[in-house]
Amino acid sequence: KGGEWQPPAGQFLGEPVYVPKTTGQSEDDGYILVQVYDATQGQSALVVLSALSLSDGPLARITLPASCPPGLYGSWADGYVPAQSEFMEGKLAAAFQENDWNDFGGGLSMLGF
């Protein structure tokens, strides 16, 4: 039940928000809304997932009219602060790969905008 969903390489998640269904049958019957920044395209989107079946992937993906790179709210890095140019040039994606920051034990968290 639930599972997990990860965006494709080069895409970074903001802080997820839970929205319960008004007709939900259980406490976790609702939606997860999360802003996704695609560093390779310089685009942002709002992704809607089912809280009961994250592994099914997005129910909807709404491209936003403006790019919203991840901010520093809720973010931390062990000796690394990315420059704006690193988002646009895809260098942050390489840093995630190189430093295993996509693992829970990594050294960077990109929560919030």
Side-chain angles (χ1 to χ4, degrees):
K1 186 176 177 179
E4 67 178 53
W5 174 77
Q6 293 187 14
Q11 295 186 15
F12 306 96
L13 304 177
E15 186 171 2
V17 176
Y18 175 74
V19 179
K21 282 185 182 178
T22 56
T23 59
Q25 301 299 307
S26 62
E27 181 179 46
D28 56 353
D29 191 2
Y31 303 100
I32 302 294
L33 306 181
V34 64
Q35 192 170 5
V36 177
Y37 177 68
D38 184 338
T40 63
Q41 301 293 318
Q43 288 185 323
S44 295
L46 178 67
V47 170
V48 181
L49 302 153
S50 168
L52 291 174
S53 55
L54 293 174
S55 59
D56 288 346
L59 298 171
R61 183 182 184 91
I62 304 157
T63 301
L64 301 177
S67 174
C68 304
L72 295 178
Y73 171 75
S75 298
W76 63 272
D78 186 14
Y80 178 76
V81 177
Q84 177 68 24
S85 62
E86 292 178 287
F87 290 106
M88 298 307 293
E89 296 170 4
K91 291 180 181 176
L92 187 59
F96 266 76
Q97 183 78 12
E98 181 181 317
N99 294 294
D100 283 332
W101 286 338
N102 287 321
D103 293 336
F104 286 108
L108 178 68
S109 173
M110 299 297 275
L111 298 176
F113 287 86

